Amino acid sequence: MAASRSDFLEQTAIPGDGIAARVLKGVETVLGAIAALILAVLLTVVLVSVCLRYFFNTGFIGAEDLGIWLHVALISIGAPLSLNSALAMRLDVFARLAPARLLPVTQVLADVFTVLAALILLFGGSEIMAMLGGISPTLGVPEWIRFGFLGAGGVLIIIVLVLQRAAEGRVLPVLISLSLGAALYFGIPEVFIDSELPPSLFLALVAALGLVLAAPLAHAFLTAAYVAIAFGSSLPEPAIVSSTVTGMSKFLLLAIPFFLLAGGLLTSSGVANQLVRFAASMVGHRRAGLAQTTLLTSVLFSGASGSSVANAAFGASTFQPELVKHGYPPAQAGAIIAATSVLDNVIPPSIAFLILATATNLSVGSLLVGGFFAGGLMAICLAVAIHLSVREQVALPRASGRERRRAAISAIPAFGLGIIVVVGIRIGIVTTTEAAALAALYTIILAVWGKVGAGSLLASFRQAATESAAIGLLIGTAGPFAFLLAVDNVSGLVSEFVTMLGGSALAVIILSNVILLVVGLVLDIGAAILLFGPILLPAAVAAGIDPIHFGVIIVVNLMIHGLTPPLGMLIFVVSGVTRIPAAALFKAVVPYLLALLVSLAILCAWAIIF
């Protein structure tokens, strides 16, 4: 049997450079401290803005823009810290299956993707800085600074990569990677390959190659967009970086680091343990009681962020350790968290439904009502799957009424967090990002009250900053990828294929689901909705299918792909937070994926019958 990638590399490595290891540790410590500081400043900015608005009826001019700029800076500083960990979101299943003698080659080639991505950020960002003029009207600083952050991030990625490989005793391989990456970077713009095939095809092929070689997912996206230039891509290097920055420059994304911080502090303060004890006292004696509690919690918290990514990050940092403590295999615990996080973009309020309404002019209110029904159906199917698949290794006795009351009282602080997040957003008192910031502040107070030390607080900030940086970079780099697919009119080709079906509702439903199931394998849900929502909806309406119901089907279908390889965003988010290999999570999530597909089939049958 072939050795695993990590085992082989450990066996064949030259003894590491002690100096490089010490320098690497120092660099990572400094970057971690800076990232934690940026997150603290970011949290302060949002909290001050909320305080000024609600207590003094005034505002902080430029607060939103400042938050966005700080978030870009956080991603640039924090991204290099995830290079050698699960946060890099590498799909290493193919590399592990390769013969042992080829593993060093795959390592070098994977690092080529990282080098090329870093050079794109560095030089692309520098080119934008040289071209871009003007001053930010709200912040009063030059606009080019925001793009300079990513340029600095590119430099840091190369520095950390070199130090990591030197510390591992792989100086020669990393030099080869640097040479190949630089040669490709400077050579690609000088090459033009005249092909009748669309550039998006080569874009997809290069990205797929990166996945096979276990390159970091975000780096594979950037490299693919850059290589597509040689095949006639309309997106030059500065535009690639600009699109990446635009993708991560959304105020809503600030909720991710805040929820990650809240989850980490809940665990360190002991409040998460109190919540688990309460859940165990209520349903722990039942089969799969703790897993069912995780599902119910996800249902109740759905809409707290409007983002399944943020919810998955929150759940992974909060519930994963408790599930494992109670006897769940780590991969199964992570799979349950990822699967239940799908509900967050279905049960309203939902960002996915807002995007769909924007793209198709459907009623937002009607879509949200449909989301309640669909989310409930999906939760029921997941509950059945959990009941059938979980074999808890720790049997809990039935709690007495007195024990339940005590557990409920001790869990009140955790319920307070739910009130801040869920009630605040659903009533409309605060925005999603503001609710996340208040949740983080609340958990900081709980941590201080629980006498959590300054070192643990700093570690929570550093961890949240690093995890959110990796997630943010992935979201940003998906932007150029989706743009090139749109430019090549991939959606138009699909539209022509769909219209060939005629007026059969059954045929339209089947083919639309097949198309969405395929598209979801390679596209982010937002991009897929924007591209294919306006195309598939007219065919559904012509076939007599209710447009709102069909819109719900689109969102449910695409959300399921948060659990499917090769891109499965929710799987990679949980993998990044828990450090569980993505391949193990993809395997463990199969029962819950099938349950969600059953719920999708029921929704489709309902659309055809009624």
Side-chain angles (χ1 to χ4, degrees):
M1 184 171 64
S4 71
R5 175 190 178 102
S6 58
D7 290 341
F8 180 84
L9 292 176
E10 288 176 3
Q11 295 168 6
T12 58
I14 302 171
D17 186 337
I19 296 177
R22 290 193 293 272
V23 173
L24 174 63
K25 184 177 180 180
V27 170
E28 290 180 337
T29 299
V30 172
L31 290 180
I34 295 174
L37 177 62
I38 294 175
L39 177 55
V41 174
L42 184 58
L43 178 60
T44 302
V45 168
V46 176
L47 290 175
V48 168
S49 178
V50 173
C51 181
L52 289 176
R53 185 166 73 252
Y54 287 101
F55 292 101
F56 300 97
N57 198 28
T58 184
F60 174 17
I61 298 177
E64 184 169 325
D65 285 342
L66 179 58
I68 290 172
W69 285 42
L70 286 172
H71 185 234
V72 175
L74 174 64
I75 294 172
S76 302
I77 295 295
L81 296 174
S82 63
L83 275 180
N84 220 26
S85 70
L87 288 171
M89 303 182 191
R90 302 173 188 262
L91 187 63
D92 62 353
V93 60
F94 300 108
R96 288 189 291 108
L97 293 175
R101 64 180 181 278
L102 295 180
L103 290 177
V105 177
T106 63
Q107 170 82 43
V108 169
L109 295 179
D111 285 348
V112 169
F113 277 80
T114 295
V115 171
L116 190 50
L119 293 176
I120 294 167
L121 295 176
L122 169 59
F123 291 107
S126 300
E127 192 170 344
I128 294 177
M129 292 168 61
M131 296 187 303
L132 192 63
I135 302 294
S136 170
T138 56
L139 300 178
V141 296
E143 290 280 3
W144 56 262
I145 293 178
R146 181 160 52 117
F147 298 90
F149 290 144
L150 276 192
V155 175
L156 292 173
I157 288 173
I158 291 178
I159 292 174
V160 172
L161 176 67
V162 171
L163 289 174
Q164 284 181 349
R165 298 298 176 256
E168 296 166 355
R170 300 186 177 91
V171 176
L172 180 58
V174 78
L175 291 178
I176 295 174
S177 297
L178 288 171
S179 301
L180 291 176
L184 286 171
Y185 175 80
F186 292 107
I188 286 174
E190 306 300 325
V191 176
F192 176 73
I193 301 175
D194 190 8
S195 173
E196 296 181 357
L197 298 174
S200 58
L201 175 61
F202 300 98
L203 172 87
L205 291 175
V206 174
L209 177 62
L211 291 175
V212 169
L213 294 172
L217 193 57
H219 301 170
F221 280 167
L222 270 182
T223 298
Y226 188 75
V227 172
I229 295 175
F231 297 92
S233 167
S234 59
L235 202 63
E237 181 187 11
I240 293 174
V241 177
S242 177
S243 180
T244 300
V245 173
T246 300
M248 60 180 65
S249 297
K250 299 173 183 175
F251 192 67
L252 177 63
L253 295 179
L254 272 61
I256 295 177
F258 296 155
F259 277 126
L260 286 168
L261 178 61
L265 291 174
L266 272 181
T267 301
S268 62
S269 65
V271 175
N273 294 332
Q274 296 167 2
L275 180 61
V276 171
R277 281 197 295 270
F278 168 71
S281 71
M282 300 301 294
V283 297
H285 59 281
R286 299 178 180 178
R287 182 174 178 178
L290 190 55
Q292 299 289 5
T293 301
T294 302
L295 170 61
L296 180 59
T297 303
S298 197
V299 170
L300 296 175
F301 271 63
S302 288
S305 66
S307 165
S308 288
V309 171
N311 197 35
F314 179 82
S317 58
T318 302
F319 295 108
Q320 170 80 10
E322 301 306 322
L323 287 166
V324 173
K325 285 181 183 178
H326 285 75
Y328 288 70
Q332 185 182 46
I336 291 172
I337 291 170
T340 56
S341 297
V342 169
L343 301 176
D344 204 86
N345 251 335
V346 178
I347 298 176
S350 162
I351 297 172
F353 282 130
L354 295 178
I355 295 174
L356 181 63
T358 301
T360 60
N361 294 319
L362 291 175
S363 166
V364 176
S366 298
L367 286 172
L368 295 182
V369 171
F372 272 117
F373 171 79
L377 175 62
M378 296 166 73
I380 292 173
C381 292
L382 282 173
V384 173
I386 289 173
H387 179 80
L388 296 176
S389 65
V390 170
R391 298 291 185 273
E392 288 182 272
Q393 299 177 18
V394 178
L396 301 178
R398 180 185 294 270
S400 65
R402 183 179 181 182
E403 289 172 336
R404 291 181 179 182
R405 285 192 297 272
R406 287 182 175 177
I409 293 174
S410 67
I412 288 177
F415 296 148
L417 178 62
I419 292 173
I420 291 174
V421 175
V422 179
V423 176
I425 294 176
R426 294 195 173 181
I427 292 180
I429 299 176
V430 290
T431 66
T432 298
T433 299
E434 291 171 344
L438 290 173
L441 175 63
Y442 180 78
T443 53
I444 290 174
I445 294 173
L446 291 179
V448 173
W449 184 268
K451 298 182 180 180
V452 174
S456 296
L457 283 174
L458 177 61
S460 295
F461 271 87
R462 184 187 187 279
Q463 180 180 353
T466 303
E467 292 170 356
S468 63
I471 296 169
L473 182 63
L474 180 62
I475 292 173
T477 54
F481 198 92
F483 177 84
L484 288 173
L485 291 177
V487 168
D488 283 339
N489 197 30
V490 174
S491 57
L493 299 176
V494 174
S495 179
E496 294 178 5
F497 190 57
V498 170
T499 54
M500 295 171 56
L501 294 173
S504 169
L506 177 60
V508 171
I509 282 286
I510 291 176
L511 185 59
S512 296
N513 275 286
V514 170
I515 290 173
L516 291 172
L517 287 171
V518 174
V519 165
L521 295 174
V522 295
L523 272 186
D524 170 73
I525 180 175
I529 288 174
L530 291 171
L531 287 174
F532 293 93
I535 295 167
L536 299 176
L537 185 63
V541 173
I545 301 172
D546 179 74
I548 298 298
H549 198 137
F550 188 76
V552 172
I553 290 174
I554 290 176
V555 171
V556 171
N557 185 307
L558 292 173
M559 277 310 305
I560 290 174
H561 284 291
L563 308 176
T564 60
L567 301 184
M569 178 73 76
L570 299 179
I571 292 293
F572 280 112
V573 169
V574 173
S575 173
V577 175
T578 64
R579 308 302 199 274
I580 298 172
L585 290 174
F586 278 127
K587 182 179 180 180
V589 84
V590 170
Y592 316 115
L593 178 60
L594 293 176
L596 292 172
L597 289 173
V598 168
S599 68
L600 175 62
I602 294 173
L603 288 173
C604 292
W606 185 274
I608 295 172
I609 296 173
F610 299 98

